[in-house]
Amino acid sequence: FASRHLRTVTHVKPRQASPPQALPTMVSANGATIACGVVAALSVLAALPMLMGNADVIPESLKEGTIVDKKGTLKAMDPDLLAHFARSVGHEVFIFVTCVAASVANNRCALLAKFLTCGMLLSAGWHHAWGNENEVIGQVVLATVLGYFGFIRSGLTLPSTTWGKHAIACTLEACLMGAVALGLLSGSAEALPPALKSLNLGAVQSMGKDLGLAALCVLAGALDNNAPTLCKFLPVGIMVSAWSHAMMDDMQGAKLNSCFALGFAILGFGFAAPETGGKKAQ
């Protein structure tokens, strides 16, 4: 009778404590990515009307013509020239958007936020020189937000770049875009198609400014090991640029940009990405 009440005692080994795991910090990890995504969204909203030839978002100081009337005042820019100008600025901004979107899609925006902070501040200074105060305020605000996430939250550590074929191609593209942008910022219209050579100085410089911002995004993507993704996104922006050149009867520029787009598409979709170890956005 007593044996039926005996209970078997099972010795259970104590569970070993698992090593502590770091909790994900969503806000910290995605701060730069969210900020860059907002910049891309605002930019594409401005680019789409301009691609349709609408110049409403362009500051009035850039819409003045180069012909003086009998009273000594500058005439307004020719409507056809204004439409070509708006479309050209639109395709530059659209290229900028595609480059930012590539970094946002791959969550590699720490370095991009740093570059854009510097670019936005320089752009704000340029707008101040031309009396575009609304644009100055907007770009200073964007630069402040990007600088916070780019320099303070992400730190000053730079990524270790893997120099594969994608990164080299994007770096060369950034250098080419930067060289053209510097020429335009100096006031030279030699790089512009014939339909745009009669633009005023401010309009020429504004195109150089926007192209320079896009070049910074391409360079940031190359240095932050995001070039393989960038090579997939960049052909879309370049093909929009080719369409814009065709709309102003600049077939030489359209063919050249189409060749660039094809080259980056082959790199992006035809060649595997190398192993990378860059620093993602913090």
Side-chain angles (χ1 to χ4, degrees), residues 174-246:
C175 292
L176 179 60
M177 294 168 65
V180 175
L182 289 175
L184 294 173
L185 283 169
S186 70
S188 173
E190 292 298 323
L192 296 178
L196 298 177
K197 288 189 181 296
S198 58
L199 288 173
N200 61 56
L201 177 62
V204 172
Q205 289 183 341
S206 70
M207 296 184 65
K209 170 187 66 66
D210 293 332
L211 186 61
L213 287 173
L216 286 177
C217 297
V218 176
L219 182 59
L223 296 178
D224 206 12
N225 296 307
N226 196 45
T229 303
L230 184 58
C231 287
K232 294 181 175 71
F233 280 70
L234 197 53
V236 179
I238 299 179
M239 282 306 299
V240 171
S241 174
W243 168 80
S244 175
H245 279 276

Side-chain angles (χ1 to χ4, degrees), residues 131-152:
N132 307 323
E133 297 305 323
N134 291 334
E135 285 74 14
V136 172
I137 296 172
Q139 299 204 359
V140 167
V141 170
L142 291 176
T144 302
V145 175
L146 290 166
Y148 171 74
F149 289 110
F151 289 99
I152 298 178

Side-chain angles (χ1 to χ4, degrees), residues 4-159:
R4 285 185 292 179
H5 292 274
L6 293 177
R7 296 179 181 178
T8 304
V9 179
T10 304
H11 296 280
V12 180
K13 295 182 179 180
R15 296 178 60 184
Q16 296 181 351
S18 58
Q21 298 180 353
L23 295 176
T25 53
M26 297 300 293
V27 176
S28 175
N30 294 320
T33 300
I34 294 173
C36 291
V38 170
V39 171
L42 294 175
S43 299
V44 77
L45 289 177
L48 291 178
M50 289 191 289
L51 286 172
M52 297 297 104
N54 189 325
D56 290 344
V57 298
I58 297 177
E60 294 297 327
S61 62
L62 306 181
K63 299 179 186 179
E64 296 178 349
T66 56
I67 300 176
V68 180
D69 60 14
K70 296 181 180 180
K71 297 181 180 180
T73 58
L74 287 174
K75 293 183 178 180
M77 188 180 294
D78 179 77
D80 291 336
L81 177 59
L82 182 59
H84 290 324
F85 172 51
R87 197 175 291 115
S88 299
V89 175
H91 81 237
E92 289 184 344
V93 176
F94 193 82
I95 292 175
F96 168 83
V97 170
T98 57
C99 297
V100 176
S103 295
V104 171
N106 211 22
N107 196 26
R108 287 185 178 271
C109 295
L111 185 62
L112 177 62
K114 295 179 176 67
F115 278 32
L116 283 181
T117 300
C118 301
M120 290 289 182
L121 289 176
L122 292 174
S123 177
W126 180 88
H127 277 290
H128 177 70
W130 282 93
N132 307 323
E133 297 305 323
N134 291 334
E135 285 74 14
V136 172
I137 296 172
Q139 299 204 359
V140 167
V141 170
L142 291 176
T144 302
V145 175
L146 290 166
Y148 171 74
F149 289 110
F151 289 99
I152 298 178
R153 297 300 296 268
S154 299
L156 300 178
T157 304
L158 297 178

